[in-house]
Amino acid sequence: MASVTESIAALSFPTTSRFRTSFSRPAMMISQPAVSSYSRRGLPEFKGLKIQSYSLISFASTNSRYPRVSKHSGRIICEAQETAIDIPAVTDETWQSLVLNADGPVLVEFWAPWCGPCRMIDPIIGELAQQYAGKLKCFKLNTDDSPSIASQYGIRSIPTLMIFLNGEKKDAVIGAVPKTTLSASIERFL
């Protein structure tokens, strides 16, 4: 029995000089600080992700740049969408009365809920509706819900913004464009 344990110990800890050099000085290797190539170059070293949890009060108070962002149950919720102006929708049934029979210029945004550029331009349309309140009426037409009007005016890509004056199409702007481009187009018909 003793010979079996001695042979296992001999295999686990070899006594030849060839093996001793490969296992020597593990304490010295640990005690010396390792210098990475990042720190030698003066670059910050990646040490893993740091996940911090903030309470609702501490996150909102420490983040003065975004005071309306709150953290709730592991998700960040942005309440900025509540401040956007809700532009009224126009449909097949209301198209004639709201757009074609309107007094003054009307801006109609042809959009779809799945369209990313449409969602990008939506706040700009809201700002324009506020800026030109009383001078310009703004509406949205969902091309998925009202495809007949979209095809009647040749809408092939969205977002498309059209300006109507006295029931006639006067101008069209295709794509997500800057506010200045839309303002210049609107100003021509006021």
Side-chain angles (χ1 to χ4, degrees):
M1 185 71 131
S3 64
V4 173
T5 55
E6 288 174 1
S7 62
I8 292 174
L11 290 174
S12 300
F13 301 105
T15 57
T16 62
S17 64
R18 186 179 92 187
F19 289 108
R20 249 187 244 139
T21 57
S22 64
F23 289 110
S24 65
R25 300 183 192 170
M28 181 184 285
M29 290 172 48
I30 294 171
S31 64
Q32 292 179 347
V35 177
S36 69
S37 62
Y38 289 110
S39 61
R40 276 186 263 140
R41 293 182 190 149
L43 299 173
E45 188 173 348
F46 178 73
K47 296 187 184 205
L49 297 176
K50 293 181 181 178
I51 300 173
Q52 297 177 352
S53 62
Y54 298 99
S55 68
L56 176 65
I57 296 168
S58 66
F59 185 75
S61 63
T62 59
N63 196 351
S64 62
R65 185 173 177 189
Y66 303 106
R68 304 265 308 166
V69 176
S70 62
K71 187 169 177 79
H72 179 66
S73 66
R75 297 183 303 176
I76 295 178
I77 300 168
C78 180
E79 298 172 356
Q81 293 177 352
E82 295 174 3
T83 62
I85 300 298
D86 190 27
I87 300 168
V90 64
T91 61
D92 291 332
E93 294 80 27
T94 60
W95 178 260
Q96 183 73 29
S97 63
L98 293 177
V99 177
L100 299 180
N101 295 336
D103 297 332
V106 178
L107 176 71
V108 179
E109 176 191 6
F110 292 85
W111 73 288
W114 48 264
C115 171
C118 298
R119 289 186 300 223
M120 285 173 37
I121 203 168
D122 192 53
I124 296 171
I125 303 299
E127 291 173 13
L128 290 172
Q130 280 184 335
Q131 182 179 344
Y132 295 106
K135 300 176 187 176
L136 176 75
K137 294 179 182 175
C138 295
F139 297 104
K140 294 170 61 170
L141 182 120
N142 187 337
T143 56
D144 291 341
D145 295 341
S146 303
S148 62
I149 294 175
S151 63
Q152 178 183 352
Y153 289 96
I155 304 299
R156 294 202 174 124
S157 64
I158 51 175
T160 297
L161 298 135
M162 287 190 180
I163 298 175
F164 292 86
L165 186 62
N166 298 326
E168 295 179 23
K169 174 186 153 188
K170 295 294 183 181
D171 196 11
V173 178
I174 300 171
V177 295
K179 184 179 177 180
T180 55
T181 304
L182 294 174
S183 294
S185 183
I186 291 168
E187 290 288 333
R188 292 188 296 163
F189 301 104
L190 291 181

PDB file of all heavy atoms in Angstrom, residues 7-19:
ATOM      1  N   SER A   7       4.537   6.012  -5.188  1.00  0.00           N
ATOM      2  CA  SER A   7       4.676   6.146  -6.637  1.00  0.00           C
ATOM      3  C   SER A   7       3.781   7.269  -7.169  1.00  0.00           C
ATOM      4  O   SER A   7       4.158   7.972  -8.095  1.00  0.00           O
ATOM      5  CB  SER A   7       4.365   4.819  -7.339  1.00  0.00           C
ATOM      6  OG  SER A   7       3.016   4.448  -7.085  1.00  0.00           O
ATOM      7  N   ILE A   8       2.598   7.487  -6.564  1.00  0.00           N
ATOM      8  CA  ILE A   8       1.729   8.584  -6.990  1.00  0.00           C
ATOM      9  C   ILE A   8       2.373   9.908  -6.618  1.00  0.00           C
ATOM     10  O   ILE A   8       2.381  10.851  -7.396  1.00  0.00           O
ATOM     11  CB  ILE A   8       0.327   8.456  -6.359  1.00  0.00           C
ATOM     12  CG1 ILE A   8      -0.389   7.246  -6.948  1.00  0.00           C
ATOM     13  CG2 ILE A   8      -0.493   9.729  -6.577  1.00  0.00           C
ATOM     14  CD1 ILE A   8      -1.711   6.930  -6.308  1.00  0.00           C
ATOM     15  N   ALA A   9       2.952   9.974  -5.439  1.00  0.00           N
ATOM     16  CA  ALA A   9       3.625  11.192  -5.020  1.00  0.00           C
ATOM     17  C   ALA A   9       4.832  11.463  -5.899  1.00  0.00           C
ATOM     18  O   ALA A   9       5.130  12.619  -6.222  1.00  0.00           O
ATOM     19  CB  ALA A   9       4.038  11.083  -3.565  1.00  0.00           C
ATOM     20  N   ALA A  10       5.515  10.445  -6.304  1.00  0.00           N
ATOM     21  CA  ALA A  10       6.681  10.615  -7.166  1.00  0.00           C
ATOM     22  C   ALA A  10       6.260  11.128  -8.533  1.00  0.00           C
ATOM     23  O   ALA A  10       6.952  11.931  -9.157  1.00  0.00           O
ATOM     24  CB  ALA A  10       7.436   9.288  -7.296  1.00  0.00           C
ATOM     25  N   LEU A  11       5.112  10.664  -9.042  1.00  0.00           N
ATOM     26  CA  LEU A  11       4.631  11.153 -10.329  1.00  0.00           C
ATOM     27  C   LEU A  11       4.129  12.594 -10.226  1.00  0.00           C
ATOM     28  O   LEU A  11       4.281  13.384 -11.141  1.00  0.00           O
ATOM     29  CB  LEU A  11       3.496  10.256 -10.843  1.00  0.00           C
ATOM     30  CG  LEU A  11       3.889   8.861 -11.290  1.00  0.00           C
ATOM     31  CD1 LEU A  11       2.646   8.047 -11.622  1.00  0.00           C
ATOM     32  CD2 LEU A  11       4.809   8.934 -12.492  1.00  0.00           C
ATOM     33  N   SER A  12       3.494  12.951  -9.098  1.00  0.00           N
ATOM     34  CA  SER A  12       2.954  14.281  -8.924  1.00  0.00           C
ATOM     35  C   SER A  12       4.045  15.320  -8.748  1.00  0.00           C
ATOM     36  O   SER A  12       3.931  16.438  -9.237  1.00  0.00           O
ATOM     37  CB  SER A  12       2.034  14.332  -7.693  1.00  0.00           C
ATOM     38  OG  SER A  12       0.976  13.433  -7.875  1.00  0.00           O
ATOM     39  N   PHE A  13       5.110  14.999  -8.029  1.00  0.00           N
ATOM     40  CA  PHE A  13       6.187  15.935  -7.764  1.00  0.00           C
ATOM     41  C   PHE A  13       7.495  15.316  -8.235  1.00  0.00           C
ATOM     42  O   PHE A  13       8.197  14.683  -7.466  1.00  0.00           O
ATOM     43  CB  PHE A  13       6.268  16.255  -6.260  1.00  0.00           C
ATOM     44  CG  PHE A  13       4.988  16.846  -5.746  1.00  0.00           C
ATOM     45  CD1 PHE A  13       4.124  16.097  -4.975  1.00  0.00           C
ATOM     46  CD2 PHE A  13       4.659  18.155  -6.068  1.00  0.00           C
ATOM     47  CE1 PHE A  13       2.958  16.641  -4.514  1.00  0.00           C
ATOM     48  CE2 PHE A  13       3.489  18.701  -5.598  1.00  0.00           C
ATOM     49  CZ  PHE A  13       2.627  17.938  -4.826  1.00  0.00           C
ATOM     50  N   PRO A  14       7.817  15.479  -9.472  1.00  0.00           N
ATOM     51  CA  PRO A  14       9.037  14.850  -9.995  1.00  0.00           C
ATOM     52  C   PRO A  14      10.274  15.445  -9.336  1.00  0.00           C
ATOM     53  O   PRO A  14      10.301  16.622  -8.979  1.00  0.00           O
ATOM     54  CB  PRO A  14       9.011  15.166 -11.492  1.00  0.00           C
ATOM     55  CG  PRO A  14       8.025  16.276 -11.653  1.00  0.00           C
ATOM     56  CD  PRO A  14       7.115  16.232 -10.484  1.00  0.00           C
ATOM     57  N   THR A  15      11.285  14.622  -9.191  1.00  0.00           N
ATOM     58  CA  THR A  15      12.497  15.037  -8.492  1.00  0.00           C
ATOM     59  C   THR A  15      13.647  15.283  -9.449  1.00  0.00           C
ATOM     60  O   THR A  15      14.718  15.656  -9.011  1.00  0.00           O
ATOM     61  CB  THR A  15      12.895  13.961  -7.471  1.00  0.00           C
ATOM     62  OG1 THR A  15      13.054  12.729  -8.152  1.00  0.00           O
ATOM     63  CG2 THR A  15      11.867  13.861  -6.373  1.00  0.00           C
ATOM     64  N   THR A  16      13.450  15.109 -10.720  1.00  0.00           N
ATOM     65  CA  THR A  16      14.565  15.326 -11.643  1.00  0.00           C
ATOM     66  C   THR A  16      14.745  16.805 -11.864  1.00  0.00           C
ATOM     67  O   THR A  16      13.818  17.606 -11.735  1.00  0.00           O
ATOM     68  CB  THR A  16      14.311  14.630 -12.996  1.00  0.00           C
ATOM     69  OG1 THR A  16      13.153  15.205 -13.575  1.00  0.00           O
ATOM     70  CG2 THR A  16      14.127  13.147 -12.829  1.00  0.00           C
ATOM     71  N   SER A  17      15.932  17.205 -12.222  1.00  0.00           N
ATOM     72  CA  SER A  17      16.232  18.618 -12.394  1.00  0.00           C
ATOM     73  C   SER A  17      15.521  19.208 -13.606  1.00  0.00           C
ATOM     74  O   SER A  17      15.267  20.396 -13.662  1.00  0.00           O
ATOM     75  CB  SER A  17      17.756  18.809 -12.511  1.00  0.00           C
ATOM     76  OG  SER A  17      18.206  18.168 -13.683  1.00  0.00           O
ATOM     77  N   ARG A  18      15.220  18.372 -14.577  1.00  0.00           N
ATOM     78  CA  ARG A  18      14.541  18.862 -15.771  1.00  0.00           C
ATOM     79  C   ARG A  18      13.151  19.405 -15.422  1.00  0.00           C
ATOM     80  O   ARG A  18      12.726  20.419 -15.918  1.00  0.00           O
ATOM     81  CB  ARG A  18      14.428  17.733 -16.791  1.00  0.00           C
ATOM     82  CG  ARG A  18      13.859  18.222 -18.112  1.00  0.00           C
ATOM     83  CD  ARG A  18      13.786  17.111 -19.092  1.00  0.00           C
ATOM     84  NE  ARG A  18      12.434  16.539 -18.924  1.00  0.00           N
ATOM     85  CZ  ARG A  18      12.029  15.462 -19.522  1.00  0.00           C
ATOM     86  NH1 ARG A  18      12.834  14.774 -20.284  1.00  0.00           N
ATOM     87  NH2 ARG A  18      10.813  15.023 -19.342  1.00  0.00           N
ATOM     88  N   PHE A  19      12.404  18.735 -14.534  1.00  0.00           N
ATOM     89  CA  PHE A  19      11.065  19.171 -14.166  1.00  0.00           C
ATOM     90  C   PHE A  19      11.093  20.269 -13.117  1.00  0.00           C
ATOM     91  O   PHE A  19      10.216  21.097 -13.064  1.00  0.00           O
ATOM     92  CB  PHE A  19      10.235  17.995 -13.651  1.00  0.00           C
ATOM     93  CG  PHE A  19       9.865  17.039 -14.749  1.00  0.00           C
ATOM     94  CD1 PHE A  19      10.467  15.803 -14.832  1.00  0.00           C
ATOM     95  CD2 PHE A  19       8.917  17.377 -15.691  1.00  0.00           C
ATOM     96  CE1 PHE A  19      10.131  14.931 -15.842  1.00  0.00           C
ATOM     97  CE2 PHE A  19       8.561  16.500 -16.686  1.00  0.00           C
ATOM     98  CZ  PHE A  19       9.179  15.277 -16.781  1.00  0.00           C
TER      99      PHE A  19
END
